[in-house]
Amino acid sequence: MKARTASLLLMAPALLLLAAVFLYPLLRYGWLSFQASSVLTGLEPVPNGGANWGRLLDDARFWTDAFQTLRFAVCSVALELVGGLGLALLLHRPLRGRGTLRALTLLPWALPTTVMALGWRWILNDPHGPLNAAIRSLGGSSYGFLSTPATTWFFVVLADVWKTLPFVALLLLAGLQTIPEDLEEALRLEGAGRLQILRRLTLPLLVPYLALALLFRLAQALGVFDLIQVLSGGGPAGSTESLALYAYLNAMRFLDFGYAATVMLATFLLLLVLLGGGWWLWRRGDLQGRREGAA
Amino acid sequence: MAARPPFSSLRRWRSLPKLLTTALLALLSATVLLVLLPASGLSSSGMSAIPVAAADPVTVRVLMPAPLADAVAAPVAQFNASSPGVVLEVIRGPLDTETISDLATGSLLLGEAPFDLLLVDVSWLARYVAAGWFEPLERWFGPEVLAAMEPGARLGNGLDGHLWRMPLTGDTGLLYWRTDLMERPPRDTEELVAISRDLQRRGRVRWGYLWQGRQYEGLSCVMVEVLHGFGARWWNGSTARTELDSPEAVAAAQWLAALLQDGVSPQAVASYAENDALQSFAAGDAAFLRNWPYAWREIEKGGGPVKGKVGVTAMVGAPGEQGGGTLGTWGLSLIKGSPHPEEAVAAIRWLTGPVVQRQLAIEQGYAPTWSTLYDDPDLQRRAPLLTVQRQALQHPQLRPPTPAYAQLSDLLARQVNGMLTGQGGPGPTMAAAQRQSLQVLRSLAGPAGDTADGRPAVDR
């Protein structure tokens, strides 16, 4: 019992800190989501009987943005995992100048998102950007990449993949280095091919790292804000708007803080359901795998 | 699984020290830059803070979108030359209306705006006034000032019994027509469709009517005109509620949907903003175009196939109804807490005065607000749209003057664009828009949104 009290005491500072930066804002959002707090109330909170939540359920923009956010997260994270794995495998191989290569691959990750998004916006500029200049020099005519929903979406995903691929690769590279080389050696002596080694040895041992990368990246991608705000502003016609951007607009453009809190909280709940569901599925698969392994 | 904790393997990464050094160097240089930049700024402002003379000139700063800032550059220089005690400084803001509003909102929310005057779009006024960011202007500008303006130019400046904005421009939505295809412009919406279909049948033109159907603010401006043209209204100022599900409103939506169904307007209209519609019209694709006054100069400047063959008229309504274009005006407002309001008001007086408006009309095609300018024969010659612009300013339509306008506009444009792309009929579309509008008002205003005692608009 004494040890338990001591451990609680030792954990208290951390718990207090967590409560201050996490629990308090959450409770505050929860409270604010049941208030009208806009220019119509003089920015003072006035209870509005859950009208924010009723509005949310019927808010086409919220649900469109939820779908768009999810689509962005799934596509970009999937590409990052596949690409990151490839990159990690490449960097794991003994190469000349491997250290320099590894440092170079990290560059996009080191760049602040705002700077890199501005860079992409310039590349895609119509008609002055380098991409359009290249198209013109090949005999084509300038294309409004950022005024067409499909191409805008494509480049938002591409920019995100370009930036965060190194992060995923780094995580997976760390995982690869924990795999003892003699295991691979043994498999190779038994006549296993490269693909077989990858499938039977590397990937299974890499699962915790893949899961970690997935979790980090999914949480980040579902809350994407800066990249989209700078690169496309959520446009054209809201086709790349994310939930975080919508929450921001409600507060900063519409001065509607009650609803902004509602959107924020709803986004958090969606994220929780999604990540919780994913974790549950993974656990179930894991347990099943172990049971099968035991049988 | 190896028992090693995940990140210990990083130690094996031999280039890590090198990388760290690089990162450290980068950080260091960034810090040096950050320290140096404000320091250089400080030193220059420190210089000017040294009391050179007893009467330092007062600096009045005004934030404007870049094109307008450029357009008033010469008058601003004139002002500075003729008023020794005041320096008027124009801050060139972003081009996009929404972006400049975001910029202004950001600094106003923080409390101390770095500008004394703001060029305000008519659709922001209610929100900014409700936020308490403006100083009323009636102390300096009495009712006789507005009385010297065209009727439409007086709208969208007052709210709750106060004057918040002095209008600089009097632009409205206009109907463009092809003088080579018809004798005279249509008088109402039925004629517009009849002429279009006749011309299309005879193969004279591909499309009848081009307008803005993309899901954005521009579609809301179209809706204001069509709703009014069918005897409906978007906003009821006395109840502070929307009336989007009235039979007249549904008929208005029905008319727009029919334009696409009958091929009078192309399906592509559902993705058109101002410029898309203008480009297509300027290429000779259509008989009619809905746009703002700037489009005329673009067509005449461009030298395309319809140059010299375009007439402009006020927006039409349904038979028996008075048509009216949406008001899209800019005006100057005084920021609350400006340290030198008297000097700022002097700047407003000059910038919204006849000299500046005259120049804007000649160089940019902006409609003046002062009635005397419309009577000026020289200006009539140099700004050919003047007569039509004056006519349009007799019955212009205001977008709902409520602080909730941005949200109401967003959801109506979303719904109507959905209808245009075949996601629902006019009835359900307008019913959904009305339902969502009331939800937004309730969520914004609390219990007040439930009753009918919201803030009434003084303008109407």
Side-chain angles (χ1 to χ4, degrees), chain A:
Chain A
M1 211 52 205
K2 207 169 172 196
R4 196 181 148 78
T5 326
S7 70
L8 270 178
L9 263 175
L10 283 173
M11 278 199 308
L15 287 177
L16 273 176
L17 191 71
L18 263 184
V21 301
F22 196 68
L23 195 62
Y24 170 72
L26 212 59
L27 290 176
R28 167 93 189 160
Y29 277 162
W31 174 78
L32 200 57
S33 76
F34 284 92
Q35 315 282 323
S37 173
S38 72
V39 282
L40 279 174
T41 64
L43 300 182
E44 293 299 319
V46 176
N48 64 356
N52 292 338
W53 290 98
R55 174 180 167 192
L56 184 95
L57 292 179
D58 203 9
D59 185 354
R61 187 167 179 174
F62 174 82
W63 294 106
T64 307
D65 288 356
F67 169 72
Q68 284 168 185
T69 311
L70 194 65
R71 190 180 57 180
F72 167 80
V74 168
C75 291
S76 57
V77 173
L79 285 172
E80 279 153 28
L81 283 183
V82 174
L85 181 65
L87 193 60
L89 287 171
L90 219 61
L91 291 176
H92 188 53
R93 297 174 67 80
L95 289 166
R96 245 157 59 108
R98 185 165 69 167
T100 323
L101 265 182
R102 283 177 179 175
L104 277 178
T105 35
L106 253 188
L107 270 181
W109 175 248
L111 221 55
T113 309
T114 321
V115 174
M116 108 36 204
L118 266 178
W120 278 98
R121 207 169 99 177
W122 174 239
I123 291 172
L124 302 172
N125 183 288
D126 174 27
H128 304 292
L131 188 57
N132 268 318
I135 290 176
R136 273 198 309 276
S137 72
L138 292 175
S141 56
S142 294
Y143 187 75
F145 291 106
L146 292 179
S147 51
T148 316
T151 47
T152 309
W153 183 78
F154 173 79
F155 280 107
V156 166
V157 172
L158 185 70
D160 190 66
V161 170
W162 181 78
K163 177 170 164 60
T164 41
L165 198 70
F167 170 74
V168 177
L170 184 66
L171 262 182
L172 298 184
L173 185 61
L176 284 177
Q177 294 188 340
T178 62
I179 300 172
E181 271 162 36
D182 40 354
L183 277 181
E184 202 175 312
E185 196 78 6
L187 267 181
R188 199 172 297 129
L189 284 179
E190 304 227 359
R194 266 190 206 164
L195 266 180
Q196 253 178 324
I197 294 177
L198 181 70
R199 217 165 64 81
R200 299 277 174 182
L201 172 78
T202 317
L203 278 184
L205 287 181
L206 218 50
V207 162
Y209 295 87
L210 282 167
L212 195 67
L214 183 75
L215 203 73
F216 274 12
R217 283 300 307 136
L218 214 53
Q220 246 176 354
L222 286 168
V224 62
F225 171 78
D226 42 4
L227 170 69
I228 289 176
Q229 164 80 345
V230 177
L231 183 53
S232 73
S239 60
T240 54
E241 189 171 278
S242 69
L243 283 174
L245 188 55
Y246 185 41
Y248 167 81
L249 288 181
N250 269 297
M252 299 306 287
R253 179 175 292 173
F254 304 151
L255 304 176
D256 186 355
F257 298 98
Y259 194 59
T262 315
V263 171
M264 226 37 205
L265 199 60
T267 306
F268 174 72
L269 290 176
L270 278 181
L271 189 78
L272 214 62
V273 167
L274 223 71
L275 291 183
W279 186 73
W280 180 76
L281 272 177
W282 185 56
R283 283 276 309 215
R284 212 178 60 154
D286 203 34
L287 285 180
Q288 220 162 15
R290 255 179 240 169
R291 232 174 279 134
E292 273 164 20

